[in-house]
Amino acid sequence: EIVMTQSPASLSVSPGEGATLSCRASQSISSNLAWHQQKPGQAPRLLIYGASTRAPGIPARFSGSGSGTEFTLTISSLQSEDFAIYYCQQYNNWPPLTFGGGTKVEIK
Amino acid sequence: EVQLVESGGGFIQPGGSLRLSCAASGFSVSVNYMSWVRQAPGKGLEWVSVVYSGGNAYYADSVKGRFTISKDNSKNTLYLQMNNLRAEDTAVYYCAKQFGSYGYFDYWGRGTLVTVSS
């Protein structure tokens, strides 16, 4: 099973500032990585797939990068609606599909 | 518009059984891989099970032998039969559509809460 590790666990950011979230895989997953956003009391929503391709309707301030074992989600100029928990998910070698533990982005 | 609506959650005693349903619209479950993903209170996301378009099914080790995933293509509905429930199965259960045969989830339902407690 591929273990996904996210850092930091939480991040305090002021509106308008940028944020960088990291995700590491226990072995190479090529570019088979997705990012999901989850707001309190809501279902997750797909942001990024293929490590760097935005899902339909996702604003350009969200960008993903990386391949192999190291990945990054960057949010430029955080808006109020971006404060949420972000999960990375690998789909290179499955089942099982595995998620990172999440990074909570909070308002500073 | 793609929609996934789960139902069937509730309060159940340890050792009991529940059947979750996920009614899909806007696409056909017959040609997509479909999964159940759960989230224990205050915890992260955990994949539970997948059913392929052809009907093959796979499970997380934590539920293997106790849960059964299935689908009814004619009703466009996904199911999760959960037997011998344990306290650690307490979670919100999400139905999730995978993009074709890829492993990422492009649509999620709103979830249904299962609470296992005596």
Side-chain angles (χ1 to χ4, degrees), chain B residues 23-115:
Chain B
S25 59
F27 74 101
S28 175
V29 300
S30 65
V31 298
N32 286 273
Y33 289 15
M34 297 293 297
S35 275
W36 289 97
V37 177
R38 68 184 180 183
Q39 186 170 38
K43 302 297 184 181
L45 300 169
E46 179 190 18
W47 172 80
V48 172
S49 180
V50 62
V51 60
Y52 290 178
S53 52
N56 287 354
Y58 298 89
Y59 302 90
D61 287 345
S62 57
V63 307
K64 201 172 296 183
R66 301 187 298 123
F67 289 12
T68 302
I69 192 171
S70 62
K71 59 179 179 170
D72 185 329
N73 292 336
S74 66
K75 295 183 178 179
N76 215 30
T77 298
L78 178 72
Y79 302 100
L80 186 68
Q81 177 68 43
M82 304 186 295
N83 297 332
N84 192 19
L85 283 159
R86 306 167 179 167
E88 54 265 35
D89 295 319
T90 294
V92 174
Y93 284 74
Y94 295 102
C95 165
K97 171 187 173 293
Q98 294 179 218
F99 182 78
S101 60
Y102 286 83
Y104 65 89
F105 307 108
D106 58 349
Y107 290 94
W108 298 74
R110 298 192 69 173
T112 186
L113 176 62
V114 173
T115 303

Side-chain angles (χ1 to χ4, degrees), chain A residues 4 23-35 48 50-52 64-73 92:
Chain A
M4 306 301 293
C23 176
R24 173 177 292 177
S26 60
Q27 63 188 75
S28 178
I29 59 170
S30 187
S31 296
N32 295 312
L33 183 97
W35 289 94
I48 301 281
S52 61
S65 63
S67 66
T69 61
E70 301 284 342
F71 301 88
T72 300
L73 175 69
N92 186 68

Side-chain angles (χ1 to χ4, degrees), chain A residues 4 6-7 12-13 18 26 38 52 55 66-67 69 71 78 80 90 93 97-98:
Chain A
M4 306 301 293
Q6 290 187 243
S7 61
S12 292
V13 184
S26 60
Q38 187 178 33
S52 61
S67 66
T69 61
F71 301 88
L78 269 120
S80 58
Q90 71 82 21
N93 187 6
L97 294 161
T98 52

